[in-house]
Amino acid sequence: FLSFFASNPIRGDVMKEDLRDAAGDRKLVSFFETARGRSVRIALVYMVVGFLWIIFTDLLSVGVFVEPEYRAVASMVKGLAFVFITAFLVYELARRSIKQVMDAQEAAEKARRLNEGLHQENEDKQLLLASLTESIPDLVFYKNPEGVYLGCNKAFVDFTGKPEAEI
């Protein structure tokens, strides 16, 4: 039922939200993929199960129990069963949502650690390159494709007579 509204071409534009992904790019997602949509899904599932439970158990107790005192006991039992079943339902729906959040947090942390490692590796390589460049007695310089100087060694700085920042 809910997936019909999320994918129905007539209502699909209504059931989409404009969000930003981790890189900040705009992303159109199904309403039921958002935090609000997932919360609505949990509430709707709870509501549908509750309505169905009340309707069917009331019809069953009216058909099975004729005496009012038995109906009263049956009503208490079905009420307690409802609380137990819906507590399990809410637990399971919340567990799934929380697991998705925790999995996403774990993936983000893993990506952050990987990024830190790559950043450190890049920094180490830059230091090695600078050390090698400085240890070469010849004139060393490098430019970008537009011809702008990006760096040089001390021998080139001495040769030009200008500070490296001005080269």
Side-chain angles (χ1 to χ4, degrees):
F1 173 75
L2 298 178
S3 62
F4 167 79
F5 284 107
S7 63
N8 185 333
I10 297 169
R11 295 186 48 99
D13 58 334
V14 175
M15 301 303 287
K16 300 275 185 188
E17 281 198 23
D18 188 14
L19 298 178
R20 300 220 176 258
D21 63 12
D25 298 327
R26 291 180 65 193
K27 179 180 167 188
L28 198 63
V29 298
S30 167
F31 173 72
F32 292 105
E33 293 177 30
T34 65
R36 184 181 319 160
R38 288 180 180 170
S39 299
V40 167
R41 186 181 68 207
I42 289 172
L44 287 175
V45 169
Y46 178 82
M47 185 177 69
V48 168
V49 168
F51 285 165
L52 292 174
W53 176 268
I54 290 169
I55 291 168
F56 289 122
T57 58
D58 281 352
L59 289 174
L60 182 67
S61 69
V62 167
V64 172
F65 301 107
V66 179
E67 291 85 19
E69 60 271 1
Y70 291 131
R71 276 194 197 155
V73 170
S75 180
M76 283 191 296
V77 169
K78 77 180 192 82
L80 291 172
F82 176 78
V83 169
F84 178 76
I85 290 168
T86 57
F88 176 75
L89 178 66
V90 168
Y91 160 78
E92 187 58 29
L93 292 169
R95 183 192 65 78
R96 288 180 186 177
S97 292
I98 291 169
K99 184 178 183 325
Q100 288 176 341
V101 168
M102 291 175 75
D103 289 348
Q105 287 174 336
E106 185 178 319
E109 178 61 24
K110 187 176 181 181
R112 186 192 63 75
R113 284 193 309 267
L114 178 63
N115 187 36
E116 281 180 359
L118 292 173
H119 179 73
Q120 183 62 45
E121 184 179 325
N122 184 41
E123 207 171 272
D124 292 346
K125 286 181 179 180
Q126 290 293 328
L127 287 172
L128 177 62
L129 179 62
S131 174
L132 287 172
T133 304
E134 286 301 322
S135 67
I136 298 172
D138 292 331
L139 304 177
V140 177
F141 63 90
Y142 44 98
K143 300 178 182 182
N144 69 10
E146 289 79 34
V148 177
Y149 285 94
L150 298 175
C152 60
N153 67 353
K154 184 170 176 3
F156 190 78
V157 169
D158 293 342
F159 174 75
T160 61
K162 296 181 182 179
E164 186 176 351
E166 290 181 16
I167 296 176

